[in-house]
């Protein structure tokens, strides 16, 4: 057993969901706080005075005025799109055909997949993201590369082979059977190994035949402990296309539901243009909706109804959606979620934004018993944030009247310069 570490700084933890409970009760901020970490886990959280007295022999790591929280959880990303992030001028379907599919074709090369997986983890960890749920490509090699790299770094990660058997280039199409067989083999190889989990991943209804959706549904029924990730109602053109492709479906969600792809471990990216029936069914099964705000603005998709969906009790996570999203940073993603809220007339509180990026996304991944908060027994994936990392945030936090006023400018203006340290499984990254 290695010697415990006592991290000192400001701390932020959540006792409950700040969308449902008043902020003052839901969020716990400690001006002089401490977190005791031992054997990869958080063992104690409290005030600096109390924990220094209680653990005199722990190795102290003093972060001064910086803020210690759970590491960020990115609930929806496409690591293979790292190389085409911020590509100009297209909306969803044209963007997929012009930029995304040509790039994803390259992942049949294991060396290229490994190179991008390395780059992707470098970028996300530098931004304080300690868990990601990523799509891979059609190629098993791309899943292999992602999990090998995640395992090497000891991070908790979720991923799956992105299945498609129509409306994509030949080189990116499998079949219902190969999608099933390859997904199953990868699942059996990686699910539950170290900190890794497999997510069954049909890309979205336009690129899967009903037979392929059924095959994915059958695989999920055989492995209900796996997550299932896909896209839902991102753009109006896409919703209309789905209605054409599935003329008997009641709505977009029904194209998943009728093939066994609606359930509690389902994670539905975007979910902007939902009907009342879809909302009711998603709530009923307690599926997760993933808000991807930088993507929804960048690709021109629309404004997610955070306030309405949270008020209805939906499970909601927050995500970059790299590379439809225009950033690797969950700070920037929180900022975009704030801006989208403003455009809908419902500004989100800093406590709600930060909750979404940590505990909320952990709930969406059904991993809130392991990650996403500062709480005894959780895994010690932590980020340390400098609330004065640039002249702009420094002058702003200096005049803040309370903690939230000090944090909010870094949410809005912060980037990887604000990430002072990252701990993964109880160890600081070099
Ligand atoms: N819908 C289907 N595939 C994708 C993708 O790669 N990115 C986004 N933003 N939407 C999608
Ligand atoms: Zn996506």
């Amino acid at each position: 057993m290695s010697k415990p570490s006592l991290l000192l700084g400001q701390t932020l933890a959540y006792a409950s969901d700040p969308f449902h409970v008043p902020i003052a009760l839901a969020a716990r901020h400690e001006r002089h706080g401490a977190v005791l970490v031992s054997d990869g886990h958080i063992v104690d959280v409290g005030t600096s005075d109390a924990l220094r007295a209680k653990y005199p022999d722990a190795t102290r790591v003093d972060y001064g005025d910086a803020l210690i929280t759970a590491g960020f959880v990115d609930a929806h990303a496409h690591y293979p799109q790292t190389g085409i992030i911020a590509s100009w001028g297209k909306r969803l379907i044209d963007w997929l055909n012009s930029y995304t599919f040509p790039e994803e074709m390259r992942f049949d090369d294991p060396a290229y997949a490994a190179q991008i997986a390395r780059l992707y983890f470098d970028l996300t960890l530098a931004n304080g993201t300690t868990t990601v749920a990523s799509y891979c490509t059609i190629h098993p090699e791309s899943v292999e590369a992602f999990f090998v790299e995640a395992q090497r770094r000891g991070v908790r990660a979720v991923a799956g082979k992105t299945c498609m058997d129509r409306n994509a280039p030949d080189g990116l199409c499998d079949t219902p059977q190969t999608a099933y067989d390859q997904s199953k083999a990868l699942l059996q190889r990686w699910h539950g190994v170290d900190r890794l989990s497999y997510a069954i991943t049909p890309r979205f209804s336009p690129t899967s035949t009903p037979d392929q959706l059924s095959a994915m549904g059958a695989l999920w029924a055989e492995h209900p402990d796996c997550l299932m990730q896909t896209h839902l109602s991102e753009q109006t053109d896409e919703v209309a296309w789905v209605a054409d492709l599935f003329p008997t479906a009641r709505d977009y969600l029904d194209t998943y539901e009728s093939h066994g792809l609606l359930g509690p471990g389902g994670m539905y990216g975007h979910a902007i243009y939902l009907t009342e029936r879809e909302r009711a069914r998603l709530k009923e099964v307690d599926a997760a909706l993933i808000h991807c705000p930088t993507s929804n603005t960048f690709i021109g998709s629309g404004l997610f109804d955070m306030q309405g969906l949270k008020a209805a009790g939906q499970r909601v996570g927050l995500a970059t959606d790299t590379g439809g999203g225009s950033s690797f940073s969950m700070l920037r993603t929180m900022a975009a979620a704030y801006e989208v809220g403003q455009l809908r007339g419902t500004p989100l509180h800093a406590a709600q934004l930060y909750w979404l990026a940590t505990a909320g996304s952990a709930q969406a991944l059904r991993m809130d018993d392991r990650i996403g908060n500062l709480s005894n027994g959780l895994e010690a994936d932590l980020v340390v944030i400098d609330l004065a990392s640039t002249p702009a945030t420094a002058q702003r936090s200096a005049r803040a009247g309370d903690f939230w006023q000090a944090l909010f400018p870094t949410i809005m203006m912060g980037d990887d310069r604000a990430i002072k340290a990252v701990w993964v499984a109880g160890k600081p990254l070099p």
Side-chain angles (χ1 to χ4, degrees):
M1 195 166 127
S2 60
K3 200 171 165 192
S5 302
L6 187 63
L7 285 65
L8 305 172
Q10 302 195 60
T11 54
L12 174 60
Y14 288 93
S16 33
D17 179 343
F19 285 90
H20 297 145
V21 170
I23 307 291
L25 297 175
R28 298 214 172 115
H29 168 247
E30 206 62 71
R31 179 73 190 78
H32 300 285
V35 182
L36 187 80
V37 168
S38 182
D39 284 329
H41 287 77
I42 298 169
V43 176
D44 211 345
V45 182
T47 64
S48 168
D49 283 350
L51 267 54
R52 277 186 298 153
K54 203 166 158 186
Y55 306 105
D57 297 332
T59 305
R60 290 185 193 169
V61 186
D62 192 346
Y63 287 116
D65 280 341
L67 173 68
I68 305 165
T69 74
F72 298 131
V73 180
D74 184 347
H76 177 131
H78 301 254
Y79 97 83
Q81 296 171 15
T82 298
I84 55 111
I85 191 169
S87 291
W88 186 84
K90 306 283 185 198
R91 291 171 64 84
L92 179 60
I93 306 305
D94 289 341
W95 175 84
L96 285 171
N97 288 319
S98 306
Y99 299 122
T100 307
F101 291 159
E103 177 65 12
E104 292 194 4
M105 301 267 260
R106 301 181 64 181
F107 285 73
D108 63 343
D109 174 2
Y112 186 66
Q115 178 196 330
I116 298 297
R118 271 196 305 278
L119 174 60
Y120 178 76
F121 279 107
D122 284 347
L123 289 164
T124 49
L125 285 164
N127 279 287
T129 299
T130 49
T131 290
V132 63
S134 184
Y135 291 60
C136 300
T137 67
I138 201 84
H139 314 96
E141 294 85 349
S142 74
V143 184
E144 202 67 20
F146 181 87
F147 278 137
V148 163
E149 192 58 26
Q151 187 179 42
R152 189 174 76 75
R153 299 183 192 231
V155 298
R156 184 166 280 294
V158 180
K161 168 187 145 79
T162 299
C163 298
M164 299 195 272
D165 67 345
R166 64 170 164 177
N167 294 319
D170 285 347
L172 283 185
C173 282
D174 49 21
T175 68
Q177 192 63 46
T178 57
Y180 175 91
D181 291 344
Q182 292 176 345
S183 299
K184 185 169 179 154
L186 289 161
L187 184 164
Q188 286 172 338
R189 177 162 157 73
W190 289 107
H191 188 59
V193 173
D194 294 340
R195 305 184 74 200
L196 310 175
S197 331
Y198 193 82
I200 293 162
T201 310
R203 181 175 215 117
F204 67 157
S205 291
T207 49
S208 287
T209 58
D211 281 352
Q212 181 166 80
L213 294 175
S214 289
M216 297 284 95
L219 183 61
W220 200 17
E222 289 164 31
H223 299 278
D225 59 318
C226 283
L227 295 165
M228 191 289 300
Q229 56 183 355
T230 191
H231 297 85
L232 176 66
S233 297
E234 179 176 359
Q235 292 209 342
T236 49
D237 291 358
E238 172 212 13
V239 175
W241 191 22
V242 169
D244 282 348
L245 289 169
F246 295 85
T248 61
R250 287 171 289 182
D251 46 42
Y252 196 154
L253 185 67
D254 196 31
T255 64
Y256 297 129
E257 185 172 1
S258 60
H259 295 98
L261 293 170
L262 177 63
M267 303 197 297
Y268 302 86
H270 305 277
I272 299 171
Y273 301 101
L274 298 179
T275 65
E276 283 310 313
R277 192 201 82 86
E278 290 174 315
R279 286 176 182 239
R281 283 298 288 144
L282 288 160
K283 169 74 179 85
E284 203 168 25
V285 306
D286 194 21
L289 308 181
I290 312 299
H291 182 28
C292 306
T294 74
S295 171
N296 294 343
T297 52
F298 182 77
I299 313 188
S301 300
L303 308 178
F304 183 83
D305 179 18
M306 179 66 75
Q307 212 67 44
L309 291 162
K310 284 296 294 176
Q314 301 274 7
R315 188 181 284 260
V316 179
L318 185 67
T320 60
D321 191 29
T322 305
S326 54
S327 174
F328 295 93
S329 164
M330 289 299 283
L331 289 171
R332 173 74 196 100
T333 303
M334 286 183 247
Y338 178 79
E339 290 162 352
V340 168
Q342 282 287 60
L343 288 167
R344 292 195 68 111
T346 51
L348 305 183
H349 191 279
Q352 296 173 323
L353 295 166
Y354 213 94
W355 179 88
L356 284 168
T358 52
S361 282
Q363 283 185 3
L365 270 57
R366 295 185 174 259
M367 291 181 174
D368 46 313
D369 58 339
R370 282 165 280 174
I371 55 168
N373 208 345
L374 291 188
S375 178
N376 297 356
L378 295 199
E379 296 166 357
D381 290 343
L382 308 169
V383 62
V384 184
I385 309 268
D386 179 354
L387 299 179
S389 64
T390 64
T393 53
Q395 62 87 30
R396 186 63 184 82
S397 60
R399 64 164 72 191
D402 65 18
F403 167 65
W404 302 115
Q405 288 177 19
L407 173 60
F408 188 60
T410 286
I411 289 178
M412 293 308 301
M413 298 190 283
D415 54 29
D416 53 349
R417 289 169 292 179
I419 309 301
K420 196 177 168 108
V422 178
W423 288 59
V424 171
K427 293 202 179 69
L429 295 185

